[in-house]
Amino acid sequence: MTIPADTKQKAAGRFQVLRLVARNKLALAAVMFLMLVVLCAIFGPWLMGNLIDKPNFRARNMAPFSLAQGWAYVLGADTLGRSLLARLIVGAQNTLGIALFAVFFSMVIGGFLGLIAGYSRGLLSSVILRVADIVMSFPSLLLALIVLFSLGPSVTNLIIVLAVTRIPIYLRTTRAEVLEVRERMFVSAAMALGAGHMRIVFRHIAPIVLPTLVTIGAIDFATVVLAESSLSFLGLGIQAPEFTWGAMVATGRGYLSNAWWIAFWPGLAILLTTLSLNILSNWWRTYADPQQRWRIELARSKKGIPEKRT
Amino acid sequence: MAVFGFILRRSAQSLIAVIGLLVLVFFLSRLTGDPAYLYLPLDSSEAQRQAFSEAHGFNDPLYVQFGRYLLGVANLDFGTALSRNRPAMEVALEAFPQTLKLAAIAMSLALTLAIVVGSLAAAKPDSLFDRIASTASLAGASAPDFWVAIVAILVFSVGLGLLPTSGTGTPLHWIMPIFVLTLRPFGLLVQVVRGTMISALASPYVKTARAKGVQRSQIIFRHALRNSLLPVITVAGDLAASLVNGAVVVESIFGWPGIGKLMIDAIIRRDFALIQATVLITAIAIFVLNILIDLLYARLDPRIRFQAK
């Protein structure tokens, strides 16, 4: 057997995180909702893909909470009689997928530039920082609008724009960490052993910075979902026939007075998704903070705050 | 005078940033296509389009156009807004105060409310009030503003008929835009205030004050709050830029004649001079704000000095 001795312990630790999440009702609800959304995103198009562009003229502007046209129309239908439930489920894929790619690319590129800016202290690093400052100080939505309008709205461009506006966050964090890590003993040791710059940066420094980046990426995900929705809502994001929840709200905007549900449901889906993400990242922040962790680890007693464990 | 040196240095840095932004916007906006197709009737001839482009200088090479633009800017001439046939800067400056008023009210409202709610929540962590405040602030920070605006219209205009859907005339017109614009900064700031207040309330000087028998409200609002204000101001400053994001959405939904709506219109109508003028104004406003926040920061915390680095 070559299983390391600490595997069991690690598995227990992971299990403990789950148990602690389960103890907090809000966090548990958030996890369950997110799992549902992810399942929709993965299997939605396969399950309901044939329903999203099938007009059903008997169901035009059909009000929600009625099963007259079958369960697919329980959330109502839009002006063409397309099932809103099906569109919500299928739309999850684009909504989450675009945000996922944007977060991934901004993390990789921002991390890479941050490694350079932190490790080399030359002209290049100050140019990178200045550009990041410019991108960061200007309202991201405006920048995205201008870029999207010039390059033409498409899914690829949407991902590029969203990634670019988030890069400075990863860049600055990585740089700050690299500045600290590069002074540590093992870097000097690697240098003394004759390791090249590339090897030091990618084999010794990068693995230490990575967990921080992933955490920030998870927290940033909600922001990117909101940004994509805003762009799609303003009409410069995703273009028909493709759609995301943000674009669905935009479609429903014109029918507020006679069919409120067209704009309401997709917006609610966005709200619940970003809210769940934020609840979880808040929970995680408390969990990861050694000074606050006891709040989670101790069961809540009936009399308010339990005694602090030392 | 360290302060003047600081302001000078920061202004120089901001100037470089503004110029970088203008270069970017200038060349990006030229990629969008020929304005001649948008401004002339569909059945106009090729010769007419040529004449139009010639008259507005769109036929020259890009670098010539850019040079001409820079010369104009140096002489405070920002070009003509094609879509309105007026000087671009005049149009932008007209719209700017509308956004500024909206943003200033929303931001002060968000700050005040967040400080009160956040402090009270931190005073009794895990209490009912804290849990309600935390969840509500999380919801505020997570809500898509365009959707909140639409739901507000649905409830208060379509449903109850209480508030007007768009325009600026009466005080009633201000309620929904300000509410929507306040929501996200409020949600984010409550969390920051709550977080810093909890750690401030656990600090030794608060324990000393409590041991001395200082009143609880005085400990919270005088001792702890003053020390927690610094991070709150930093976050509030960062939020100011994103407030412009919110303003774009809110203005376009509520038909508010501010700089955000103007910019979207300008982008869609390929009004290059107007895009540049609005970007310039927004950028300058944000950079001035950043410098002011840094000054305020130093004022609140005497340990911070304007280092010449």
Side-chain angles (χ1 to χ4, degrees):
Chain A
M1 293 291 271
T2 51
I3 300 170
D6 63 350
T7 306
K8 215 170 191 180
Q9 225 173 358
K10 245 186 195 163
R14 216 165 288 153
F15 189 65
Q16 193 205 2
V17 172
L18 286 182
R19 222 179 44 220
L20 288 176
V21 166
R23 203 183 278 168
N24 185 329
K25 274 184 209 131
L26 214 54
L28 185 66
V31 168
M32 278 159 59
F33 182 77
L34 284 180
M35 270 161 45
L36 181 72
V37 172
V38 169
L39 285 181
C40 288
I42 297 172
F43 298 109
W46 175 64
L47 280 174
M48 318 272 273
N50 55 340
L51 268 178
I52 53 163
D53 39 17
K54 196 178 75 183
N56 175 352
F57 288 105
R58 254 178 301 174
R60 281 183 60 200
N61 280 350
M62 201 179 92
F65 311 122
S66 139
L67 290 171
Q69 293 287 331
W71 58 271
Y73 291 87
V74 70
L75 291 183
D78 64 8
T79 35
L80 293 173
R82 298 176 297 193
S83 154
L84 279 180
L85 180 67
R87 285 178 77 78
L88 273 184
I89 289 177
V90 176
Q93 188 172 59
N94 275 337
T95 311
L96 294 195
I98 289 174
L100 194 70
F101 275 107
V103 167
F104 177 75
F105 285 125
S106 53
M107 195 191 297
V108 170
I109 298 170
F112 184 72
L113 291 177
L115 283 173
I116 298 176
Y119 191 76
S120 75
R121 285 186 185 149
L123 181 69
L124 186 63
S125 106
S126 53
V127 168
I128 290 177
L129 282 178
R130 271 282 150 273
V131 174
D133 275 349
I134 298 178
V135 173
M136 208 150 164
S137 57
F138 198 69
S140 52
L141 189 62
L142 290 183
L143 214 55
L145 279 176
I146 295 170
V147 174
L148 270 181
F149 193 71
S150 339
L151 301 182
S154 73
V155 173
T156 327
N157 288 341
L158 191 58
I159 291 174
I160 293 175
V161 161
L162 288 170
V164 166
T165 51
R166 308 309 294 175
I167 282 177
I169 297 167
Y170 302 93
L171 196 160
R172 286 169 159 221
T173 325
T174 314
R175 178 176 171 271
E177 278 219 11
V178 171
L179 284 180
E180 188 261 323
V181 170
R182 61 171 290 177
E183 302 301 328
R184 288 204 207 156
M185 192 66 91
F186 66 85
V187 176
S188 320
M191 235 177 248
L193 285 170
H197 290 309
M198 291 301 264
R199 192 181 164 84
I200 291 178
V201 168
F202 289 106
R203 289 298 296 273
H204 295 272
I205 297 182
I208 295 197
V209 181
L210 193 65
T212 321
L213 284 189
V214 173
T215 313
I216 296 179
I219 294 172
D220 207 39
F221 192 79
T223 320
V224 176
V225 170
L226 281 182
E228 182 276 320
S229 312
S230 300
L231 282 172
S232 293
F233 174 78
L234 290 171
L236 283 166
I238 199 155
Q239 301 293 313
E242 292 288 311
F243 59 94
T244 60
W245 291 338
M248 287 174 73
V249 179
T251 332
R253 188 184 160 190
Y255 308 101
L256 276 189
S257 47
N258 52 2
W260 55 267
W261 48 90
I262 303 178
F264 185 81
W265 296 124
L268 190 68
I270 301 172
L271 170 67
L272 288 179
T273 308
T274 50
L275 183 62
S276 305
L277 285 165
N278 283 335
I279 286 174
L280 276 188
S281 69
N282 244 21
W283 184 89
W284 178 256
R285 224 173 296 159
T286 318
Y287 177 76
D289 180 358
Q291 282 196 326
Q292 301 224 8
R293 193 170 176 165
W294 58 273
R295 286 186 201 287
I296 287 178
E297 283 184 339
L298 289 186
R300 199 171 268 132
S301 73
K302 287 268 148 59
K303 287 181 194 161
I305 311 166
E307 207 174 305
K308 188 170 175 178
R309 196 170 64 179
T310 45
Chain B
M1 291 304 278
V3 180
F4 286 111
F6 170 79
I7 296 180
L8 217 65
R9 207 166 50 245
R10 281 297 303 267
S11 308
Q13 282 172 0
S14 309
L15 194 69
I16 295 173
V18 170
I19 291 174
L21 204 62
L22 277 184
V23 173
L24 186 78
V25 169
F26 184 92
F27 288 105
L28 272 180
S29 59
R30 308 291 139 151
L31 283 176
T32 54
D34 192 350
Y37 285 90
L38 220 66
Y39 285 95
L40 294 183
L42 275 176
D43 54 354
S44 54
S45 66
E46 190 56 35
Q48 281 173 315
R49 288 199 188 112
Q50 278 301 328
F52 177 85
S53 297
E54 196 64 51
H56 293 283
F58 295 135
N59 278 348
D60 299 327
L62 273 183
Y63 62 89
V64 175
Q65 290 188 37
F66 188 63
R68 195 164 46 218
Y69 173 66
L70 281 189
L71 264 181
V73 170
N75 293 317
L76 295 183
D77 170 18
F78 298 90
T80 312
L82 281 179
S83 54
R84 322 210 168 196
N85 249 329
R86 287 173 58 201
M89 199 37 103
E90 201 180 294
V91 179
L93 281 176
E94 229 165 65
F96 181 63
Q98 294 289 343
T99 304
L100 194 65
K101 270 188 261 177
L102 208 61
I105 297 176
M107 202 61 205
S108 9
L109 211 62
L111 251 181
T112 324
L113 286 175
I115 286 176
V116 174
V117 173
S119 315
L120 291 178
K124 275 189 192 161
D126 288 328
S127 65
L128 183 66
F129 180 78
D130 177 35
R131 265 184 276 164
I132 293 176
S134 298
T135 316
S137 66
L138 265 181
S142 321
D145 40 13
F146 55 90
W147 180 72
V148 177
I150 281 183
V151 172
I153 290 181
L154 205 58
V155 174
F156 295 106
S157 306
V158 180
L160 300 173
L162 286 177
L163 297 173
T165 51
S166 61
T168 48
T170 61
L172 283 181
H173 285 96
W174 290 75
I175 296 177
M176 282 199 294
I178 286 178
F179 166 72
V180 176
L181 209 51
T182 308
L183 202 63
R184 189 168 313 161
F186 167 74
L188 291 168
L189 283 173
V190 166
Q191 287 168 45
V192 178
V193 173
R194 181 180 173 274
T196 52
M197 278 295 278
I198 282 183
S199 47
L201 284 173
S203 61
Y205 64 83
V206 166
K207 277 188 191 136
T208 314
R210 202 171 278 169
K212 271 167 46 181
V214 181
Q215 266 182 12
R216 201 171 162 72
S217 62
Q218 214 172 357
I219 289 178
I220 293 173
F221 286 106
R222 193 169 287 174
H223 294 248
L225 187 60
R226 271 194 78 138
N227 280 300
S228 335
L229 270 185
L230 282 178
V232 175
I233 286 173
T234 317
V235 176
D238 288 346
L239 282 180
S242 67
L243 209 60
V244 180
N245 286 342
V248 173
V249 171
V250 167
E251 282 173 7
S252 75
I253 291 179
F254 292 108
W256 195 265
I259 199 117
K261 186 171 185 311
L262 193 64
M263 200 176 299
I264 288 204
D265 290 350
I267 290 174
I268 290 172
R269 307 201 60 181
R270 282 183 212 159
D271 194 338
F272 299 151
L274 194 54
I275 297 177
Q276 285 147 17
T278 47
V279 167
L280 188 65
I281 293 228
T282 321
I284 289 177
I286 288 170
F287 286 124
V288 168
L289 185 83
N290 281 339
I291 295 178
L292 286 180
I293 285 171
D294 280 345
L295 290 175
L296 183 70
Y297 216 76
R299 179 96 212 167
L300 282 175
D301 188 347
R303 284 172 300 185
I304 295 171
R305 289 276 160 264
F306 304 108
Q307 294 151 344
K309 216 167 84 181

